[in-house]
Amino acid sequence: MYGTGALKGMWITLRHFMATFVQDVKTKGRWVPPGAGTATSIPEETTGYITAQYPEVKLPVPERFRFNPMLIYEEETGDIRCTSCGICAKVCPPQCIWIVQAKDSAGKTIPQCAEFYIDTSICMQCGFCSEYCPFDAIKMNHDYEISSYERHESWVMDMQELLVSTRYYAETHPRAWEQEEAQRAAKEAEKSAVER
Amino acid sequence: MCRARTVGPQGIVLSARWAPSRRWGADGGLNLGKVMMNDKRVRNPVRDVIPDYEAEFGEDELLEQSVLVTTWNKLIQNLDVVYNWGRKSSLWPLGFGLACCAIEMISTAASRFDIARFGAELFRPSPRQADVMIVSGTVTKKMVPQIVRLYNQMPEPKYVIAMGACATGGGPFKEGYNVVSGIDKFIPVDVYVPGCPPTPQALLQGLLTLQAKIMGQSIKDAPWYRSPASDSIPVPILGPDIVDPRQIPVIEEKIDQQEEPGRETKKKKHGRVKVAKIPEAELEVTERVAQALRAKFDERAFTQKENALIVEPDFLPDVARTLRDELGYNYLANLTAVDYIDEGKIQVVYHLYNIETGGPHVYLKVDTDREDPQVPSLVPVFRGADFQEREVFDMFGVRFLGHPNMKRILMWEGFEGFPLRKDWLEPYYEQEHKPFESRWPEGHHRAAEDRVVWGKNVRYPPGWDPKAWDPAREDVMVLQPEDLANMGDIRTEKIIINLGPQHPSTHGVFQMRVLLDGETIVDLEPVMGYMHRNHEKIGERNAWLMNFPYTDRLDYLAQMGNNFGYAITVEKLLGVQVPERAEYIRVIMAELNRIQSHMWSIGFLLNDLGAFFTPSLYCIEEREMILDLFEMVAGSRLMVNYFRFGGLAWDLPEEFLPLAKKLVYDRLPRAIEELDRYLTTNEIVQARTKGIGVLPRDLAINLSVSGHMLRASGVNWDIRRKDPYSIYDRFDFEVPVLYGGDIFDRYYIRVLEMWQSLRILEQALEQLPEGEILAGRKQWSVRVPAGEAYGHVENPRGELGFYVVSNGGQNPYRYHVRSGCFINLTALSHIAKGHKVADVIGILGSIDIVLGEVDR
């Protein structure tokens, strides 16, 4: 009989529907935002999950989350880490990075970039640039809330628009930051030991 | 630092993105300090276009207005608030998806992100009922006429969201010859959402941005109350390239100024080329087969070279028949061609497998002249060659003599040139190989549009006259006279209906041209190419490593599997040993991927059967958890880009294992069991699926279908067992086989496979060793030894194969993707005939295609 199949289906839906009220009663209407206080949004329960109430409550993104690339400068000194070695531009699969190497007054190239562009209407957010950068100068930003009314100007990002401080990077990528700083410190120590 | 803000009626504070302080990609919401390099950092030419809502609708002012209405203008303003609030809270999107972004769009509509909270959950199948068009994914030239038509059919006021990099500006596929660099070249766009793909939350933010824009409009100057409401946009024409009718005068004027890009012939710099080692097993099989063939054919028929048999074209059908009937090589896995331009030949290559015993393949090659390439068709021997030969014709211009339907398959009839030939260059052609020299060290940004006289990704043949072009209706299925004669006494009329390319049941942009007699399907022809993103042409320009993120975008529901396939194929040539731990993680990822992909497939099969969206919602629920794991490990929900040659990009983060175990031991078994309990025995599901679309065993093998389609038709063929790769031979699991060959079995085999995947996962998670995850050093430039390799993996949608040819350089010489879905579609017209039109939707759902892989 066909009726039973349809009824069974509706019963399932009804049960899911009622379960939300049970949840409300259990939590006294104050639902816990998913992933609050943890690095993940996988809930404790073994079934179902709670809708992320974007934009009031945002799902946390993991540290490795990739959105558009960003360039990093040192908080204290204001130095931009990029040495314009060009690896990111060479490894970029859709070739969306443009770099102009800086030159000193004598016309000799110096390890700094004069111009740096990323065309985000081409970028595929693969993360190769940050993965293969030997100077930790380019990283993947977490900010995904960047929709716009226009693209021809604002989507081609120049160096100023790409720059963020080390403090920002340390805040979004705490583990990578710690690891990189430790490596840097070890390298420094080794260097000074050799000098001595 | 003025940030335009508006207070929505629900009290949500929306920060709009146009304000100069909010330059995206910068400090995010943290408002941290920023170094000032020069004074030009504030630049915003569009500022004037955007109304300043703060001034117009400040919170206090709103209150004041509602109490005290003094002037006509204030009345209008009050009316506007109500009017706009009503419109912005009931934005009904058009239910259509183009590519990978559509998957994220559907996830946004599912229960976790729940677009219904913004009144935008009613995805309308008809443009007549839709307010907003979310252009979700790559817009191809073949598809853009349909999109413009849909846009014209939408009633005013209408809005367009360009979702993701591709819809906005062509994205990573911008250089492709079939890709439109931005939908805004054809229809006006209101909001651009960046991302590749944008996460569901990014899309929601885009929707909020659109709502903010709507709040700024006024009933006073609304263009849609004027007469005429709006002009329709002329529909683009498929000529030798896409033609925008508005541009025809310009085309006539400038056709002579068009520059033909020349192919540079760079001398090979690498002097000594390393040659890849051919596996012993392949040489052995070739030797054995060659001996057996020698007994039957004279020496003119073929020559043996390494692991390949170079067959003379005239002997090809006979050799293939002998291989199939006498030697057991009855499964044509892969058929493609390579353009050896320096030698003046095109080589068609075939990979055959023995479906009963498994093991290495037999590799046939046929050489043909580049000027007039023709090869006998293998369709009489292997019907699975049908689409693959058409693809070779489309891309290389090789004519297959005796093929029943020799016409283009991915591009449209009338397109100029054969794109995969080495001397055919796209309009945006810059250089033969990446990296391009213009990017560094003198990399002044210059858009590809500026290099082309049209400002668009098009090129027309010299002297072409757009006015004289007859946009002939492309191969429309028409009634044959004998059909009309055989209609008998009862006056019935056969009708042709086109399902797709914009149709909720086609799982993307795919068209079925169906000839109907009443409700019964008499004939069916699949039409594809609406999402042909030129994966292979771009892949041959890319360096080896660059293809990893592109493979993510093939079958965007099976990202890890795609990475896996490409990695093992190139590793065959590289000859690297992948570390133990990396192998285990690879398997864990591939199997998690299989479960999430099967979940999606089952959900949407039920969708096709009429259980609209409810089962899908329950399936997407579990899938989201797995995507969370992917995001945690690899950084992206869909485009994982996680595998590298010789290992993986990153090790697992420490929280991965506990969460993965929780999923695998608690959550997923429960979910799969629930799915099984609710669906498998459901009488409606059974009535709609049992005995429908039966694919018999022998036909299945002959049609070269793979994966679940073979196993549901009683063939025990699973590449993880029959041609084991990675470390699958260490795990204890079974290959489920069902014998009905109908929709039900193709559904149920997925449930069974998910249980087996869980079994593998349990073992792999327990045995996961410590150690390295990458063989050797991290390398951004990889040089692959010269040679040819075909590698394949068992993906959720069938066999995914990669055929690569290396000449020892940094780029593949030939890069071909053997797509499971594409070849599975060969079976569609065979199994759909005779069924009702409602069943064909279910049949297509059970074949389960992902257009990213079908069209590549």
Side-chain angles (χ1 to χ4, degrees):
Chain A
M1 209 179 83
Y2 281 126
T4 53
L7 285 177
K8 265 188 208 161
M10 286 178 190
W11 172 241
I12 297 161
T13 314
L14 185 72
R15 254 195 11 217
H16 276 252
F17 181 62
M18 299 311 285
T20 61
F21 293 106
V22 174
Q23 182 82 20
D24 281 350
V25 171
K26 267 192 201 155
T27 57
K28 302 197 180 93
R30 281 182 312 149
W31 46 265
V32 186
T38 60
T40 161
S41 46
I42 297 180
E44 281 299 308
E45 299 83 26
T46 47
T47 170
Y49 51 59
I50 294 167
T51 302
Q53 299 288 327
Y54 184 88
E56 291 92 343
V57 182
K58 291 167 190 170
L59 279 189
V61 290
E63 182 176 332
R64 286 177 190 173
F65 177 70
R66 305 190 301 259
F67 219 66
N68 285 320
M70 56 188 181
L71 283 175
I72 294 174
Y73 69 87
E74 299 289 344
E75 172 88 14
E76 298 86 39
T77 56
D79 291 341
I80 297 167
R81 281 186 176 177
C82 177
T83 62
S84 148
C85 67
I87 288 181
C88 54
K90 287 178 202 155
V91 78
C92 173
Q95 295 284 295
C96 69
I97 302 179
W98 280 261
I99 307 171
V100 178
Q101 232 175 4
K103 287 184 175 138
D104 62 7
S105 50
K108 239 179 81 186
T109 53
I110 48 173
Q112 273 171 27
C113 49
E115 291 173 46
F116 199 107
Y117 299 99
I118 292 181
D119 190 340
T120 36
S121 69
I122 303 177
C123 175
M124 68 202 299
Q125 299 168 351
C126 63
F128 274 163
C129 51
S130 85
E131 191 180 334
Y132 291 100
C133 177
F135 304 100
D136 296 321
I138 187 165
K139 294 287 169 192
M140 303 308 276
N141 205 333
H142 284 180
D143 185 15
Y144 53 84
E145 299 171 290
I146 44 181
S147 58
S148 64
Y149 294 117
E150 189 276 345
R151 79 173 170 98
H152 291 282
E153 287 290 329
S154 55
W155 281 47
V156 180
M157 316 238 307
D158 63 18
M159 189 159 63
Q160 275 310 307
E161 292 167 306
L162 290 165
L163 278 172
V164 298
S165 67
T166 40
R167 186 151 66 96
Y168 175 80
Y169 173 57
E171 227 160 285
T172 54
H173 296 68
R175 277 191 217 167
W177 170 257
E178 214 169 274
Q179 206 181 341
E180 285 160 17
E181 283 304 296
Q183 273 173 8
R184 214 183 311 275
K187 224 179 227 175
E188 287 290 315
E190 200 178 301
K191 216 170 159 189
S192 60
V194 170
E195 274 169 16
R196 224 173 284 155
Chain B
M1 296 298 250
C2 73
R3 177 176 299 180
R5 273 166 183 262
T6 177
V7 179
Q10 300 116 332
I12 304 167
V13 178
L14 314 169
S15 61
R17 294 295 149 198
W18 54 84
S21 70
R22 196 65 191 80
R23 286 186 334 280
W24 54 294
D27 274 12
L30 296 179
N31 289 325
L32 299 173
K34 195 182 289 273
V35 72
M36 295 279 284
M37 297 307 284
N38 54 42
D39 292 326
K40 282 199 301 184
R41 64 188 284 259
V42 178
R43 106 192 128 106
N44 198 337
V46 287
R47 205 169 150 201
D48 301 338
V49 187
I50 310 299
D52 187 353
Y53 301 115
E54 198 167 51
E56 223 173 316
F57 302 111
E59 203 169 0
D60 302 335
E61 205 186 321
L62 276 180
L63 191 70
E64 186 192 305
Q65 280 173 8
S66 55
V67 178
L68 198 69
V69 180
T70 48
T71 62
W72 171 248
N73 267 350
K74 283 209 168 172
L75 178 74
I76 293 284
Q77 274 183 15
N78 280 333
L79 195 61
D80 277 345
V81 173
V82 178
Y83 173 70
N84 288 335
W85 178 79
R87 290 191 306 127
K88 81 158 198 185
S89 311
S90 61
L91 283 172
W92 291 2
L94 176 63
F96 96 131
L98 294 176
C100 347
C101 284
I103 303 296
E104 287 297 65
M105 185 176 78
I106 296 167
S107 296
T108 315
S111 47
R112 192 180 200 189
F113 299 99
D114 196 10
I115 205 169
R117 293 178 299 122
F118 305 94
E121 80 280 25
L122 289 170
F123 279 83
R124 298 283 85 197
S126 161
R128 307 268 182 213
Q129 303 165 335
D131 304 303
V132 54
M133 177 189 244
I134 303 179
V135 185
S136 51
T138 317
V139 183
T140 61
K141 290 177 184 171
K142 198 170 177 178
M143 189 61 196
V144 78
Q146 278 81 348
I147 296 176
V148 172
R149 238 177 243 134
L150 288 169
Y151 178 78
N152 286 340
Q153 287 171 1
M154 281 166 67
E156 289 279 4
K158 51 188 168 188
Y159 301 96
V160 177
I161 296 178
M163 181 186 181
C166 287
T168 303
F173 297 98
K174 183 171 180 172
E175 65 202 271
Y177 49 86
N178 191 26
V179 176
V180 173
S181 35
I183 188 64
D184 55 1
K185 296 252 190 309
F186 290 92
I187 59 176
V189 173
D190 294 282
V191 173
Y192 299 91
V193 183
C196 191
T199 57
Q201 300 197 26
L203 178 61
L204 288 179
Q205 198 264 338
L207 188 73
L208 292 175
T209 314
L210 178 63
Q211 290 189 341
K213 179 172 188 167
I214 292 173
M215 279 313 273
Q217 293 178 322
S218 172
I219 199 166
K220 257 196 316 192
D221 46 21
W224 48 91
Y225 293 129
R226 310 265 160 101
S227 164
S230 61
D231 291 328
S232 60
I233 292 168
V235 176
I237 303 161
L238 293 175
D241 206 325
I242 193 88
V243 183
D244 190 341
R246 295 171 294 190
Q247 224 188 4
I248 285 179
V250 189
I251 292 174
E252 281 179 327
E253 191 192 313
K254 289 193 182 167
I255 189 91
D256 300 328
Q257 299 168 26
Q258 189 177 245
E259 278 173 42
E260 282 286 313
R263 177 173 179 262
E264 75 211 275
T265 40
K266 243 203 298 195
K267 286 244 167 72
K268 283 187 193 105
K269 271 187 230 148
H270 36 272
R272 243 182 73 240
V273 172
K274 246 171 88 180
V275 178
K277 207 169 152 273
I278 299 165
E280 285 297 321
E282 280 181 27
L283 290 172
E284 234 168 73
V285 165
T286 316
E287 183 58 43
R288 194 159 45 77
V289 169
Q291 269 176 14
L293 285 177
R294 258 183 222 117
K296 205 165 165 204
F297 295 95
D298 59 27
E299 54 200 24
R300 281 179 304 131
F302 69 93
T303 46
Q304 186 189 352
K305 195 180 168 204
E306 290 163 347
N307 62 343
L309 303 176
I310 300 171
V311 185
E312 279 303 308
D314 299 343
F315 288 90
L316 178 70
D318 289 334
V319 168
R321 203 166 276 124
T322 311
L323 279 169
R324 181 190 74 180
D325 297 337
E326 289 166 30
L327 299 171
Y329 285 89
N330 51 356
Y331 185 74
L332 175 69
N334 181 43
L335 188 167
T336 188
V338 191
D339 177 15
Y340 290 103
I341 186 166
D342 295 335
E343 297 160 48
K345 68 176 185 189
I346 288 179
Q347 192 170 61
V348 184
V349 299
Y350 305 82
H351 293 91
L352 301 167
Y353 280 88
N354 185 333
I355 207 97
E356 315 298 338
T357 60
H361 52 69
V362 169
Y363 182 20
L364 304 182
K365 291 178 176 178
V366 177
D367 288 340
T368 175
D369 184 36
R370 217 171 160 271
E371 300 306 316
D372 180 28
Q374 13 182 299
V375 173
S377 169
L378 272 195
V379 175
V381 189
F382 295 107
R383 269 179 282 188
D386 186 351
F387 284 7
Q388 303 188 64
E389 285 184 352
R390 278 178 68 190
E391 189 196 339
V392 171
F393 168 69
D394 194 356
M395 296 291 131
F396 292 92
V398 178
R399 278 179 300 120
F400 288 89
L401 307 175
H403 190 287
N405 189 16
M406 194 82 268
K407 58 182 184 188
R408 284 188 181 264
I409 188 164
L410 296 176
M411 302 305 286
W412 62 88
E413 287 290 321
F415 181 77
E416 178 78 12
F418 302 108
L420 278 183
R421 287 192 174 203
K422 289 283 172 190
D423 53 355
W424 192 95
L425 306 170
E426 309 87 325
Y428 283 171
Y429 175 82
E430 192 167 342
Q431 246 177 297
E432 175 111 3
H433 295 309
K434 289 175 183 175
F436 299 144
E437 278 155 13
S438 67
R439 301 298 196 266
W440 182 87
E442 285 297 319
H444 300 280
H445 176 260
R446 191 180 178 210
E449 282 89 340
D450 301 342
R451 288 190 278 114
V452 183
V453 64
W454 317 113
K456 269 185 186 182
N457 189 8
V458 288
R459 189 170 65 237
Y460 306 105
W464 179 67
D465 181 11
K467 287 238 172 81
W469 178 260
D470 173 28
R473 282 300 300 273
E474 186 203 340
D475 46 44
V476 177
M477 204 153 77
V478 286
L479 280 183
Q480 299 301 321
E482 53 268 30
D483 290 336
L484 285 169
N486 292 337
M487 278 188 180
D489 299 332
I490 310 162
R491 236 188 75 79
T492 59
E493 209 169 298
K494 289 189 185 160
I495 54 166
I496 296 160
I497 58 168
N498 291 312
L499 289 160
Q502 194 281 118
H503 191 274
S505 72
T506 51
H507 293 218
V509 281
F510 172 71
Q511 190 184 17
M512 291 182 282
R513 290 193 180 136
V514 186
L515 180 64
L516 288 182
D517 182 6
E519 283 268 306
T520 311
I521 290 164
V522 181
D523 201 0
L524 183 149
E525 192 193 348
V527 183
M528 51 198 99
Y530 294 101
M531 219 188 100
H532 178 48
R533 307 195 275 193
N534 331 121
H535 189 91
E536 291 178 12
K537 185 86 178 172
I538 297 174
E540 284 166 23
R541 181 168 306 124
N542 283 348
W544 288 98
L545 185 71
M546 293 177 185
N547 276 336
F548 269 117
Y550 279 96
T551 59
D552 291 333
R553 287 152 179 86
L554 278 172
D555 176 350
Y556 31 76
L557 292 173
Q559 323 84 350
M560 291 288 187
N562 302 344
N563 273 206
F564 208 158
Y566 182 57
I568 62 161
T569 308
V570 180
E571 279 160 9
K572 268 189 186 177
L573 291 176
L574 284 169
V576 290
Q577 187 65 39
V578 181
E580 277 286 282
R581 183 174 170 85
E583 289 278 29
Y584 273 91
I585 298 175
R586 282 179 171 195
V587 169
I588 291 171
M589 291 302 156
E591 294 309 316
L592 280 174
N593 196 129
R594 197 179 312 278
I595 294 175
Q596 65 98 342
S597 169
H598 280 0
M599 282 276 180
W600 184 278
S601 309
I602 292 173
F604 281 83
L605 172 64
L606 267 290
N607 221 11
D608 293 339
L609 294 175
F612 186 69
F613 220 46
T614 312
S616 313
L617 284 178
Y618 296 159
C619 292
I620 292 172
E621 215 167 84
E622 302 313 316
R623 181 177 176 268
E624 286 285 332
M625 304 290 108
I626 297 174
L627 293 191
D628 269 2
L629 290 183
F630 286 176
E631 197 177 30
M632 181 191 301
V633 173
S636 181
R637 288 156 51 88
L638 290 190
M639 305 312 169
V640 290
N641 187 17
Y642 186 49
F643 288 41
R644 298 287 177 273
F645 303 127
L648 300 161
W650 301 281
D651 205 343
L652 302 173
E654 57 197 41
E655 65 267 25
F656 176 86
L657 272 184
L659 285 168
K661 280 184 181 161
K662 198 173 121 187
L663 266 188
V664 168
Y665 288 116
D666 299 338
R667 236 191 126 104
L668 291 176
R670 196 183 161 126
I672 298 169
E673 197 271 333
E674 193 184 51
L675 213 61
D676 193 5
R677 180 152 43 88
Y678 290 156
L679 298 181
T680 309
T681 53
N682 185 300
E683 60 197 2
I684 302 174
V685 172
Q686 295 215 348
R688 285 298 306 277
T689 56
K690 284 213 161 156
I692 310 278
V694 176
L695 180 64
R697 185 182 195 275
D698 292 342
L699 184 62
I701 297 171
N702 200 254
L703 282 170
S704 298
V705 300
S706 51
H708 65 292
M709 295 207 39
L710 267 184
R711 290 190 291 274
S713 293
V715 185
N716 186 352
W717 176 256
D718 186 318
I719 299 164
R720 293 174 294 174
R721 277 276 182 258
K722 290 299 174 85
D723 190 13
Y725 54 96
S726 189
I727 49 164
Y728 274 109
D729 46 0
R730 295 188 200 169
F731 297 112
D732 174 30
F733 69 100
E734 281 149 31
V735 178
V737 179
L738 295 174
Y739 296 87
D742 53 6
I743 301 180
F744 182 82
D745 280 2
R746 286 196 284 273
Y747 147 73
Y748 195 56
I749 201 110
R750 292 186 183 283
V751 176
L752 298 177
E753 275 178 25
M754 283 199 283
W755 286 119
Q756 297 304 322
S757 289
L758 281 181
R759 245 172 102 179
I760 299 174
L761 276 170
E762 281 170 17
Q763 297 167 49
L765 286 170
E766 287 306 324
Q767 299 165 12
L768 178 67
E770 290 296 320
E772 291 290 308
I773 50 133
L774 188 70
R777 239 166 16 93
K778 239 184 175 150
Q779 260 184 314
W780 64 273
S781 170
V782 184
R783 192 154 280 185
V784 174
E788 296 153 28
Y790 178 74
H792 55 178
V793 288
E794 187 68 40
N795 244 22
R797 275 167 203 76
E799 170 179 348
L800 175 76
F802 286 90
Y803 171 69
V804 292
V805 178
S806 168
N807 56 8
Q810 290 177 339
N811 310 68
Y813 184 78
R814 175 83 179 98
Y815 167 74
H816 172 69
V817 181
R818 185 266 188 219
S819 150
C821 321
F822 176 65
I823 296 163
N824 285 356
L825 272 178
T826 321
L828 178 63
S829 67
H830 291 270
I831 58 180
K833 275 179 204 164
H835 289 293
K836 299 276 186 269
V837 69
D839 291 330
V840 76
I841 311 290
I843 292 172
L844 183 70
S846 73
I847 293 177
D848 185 28
I849 52 171
V850 166
L851 267 298
E853 197 184 282
V854 173
D855 293 342
R856 284 151 289 153

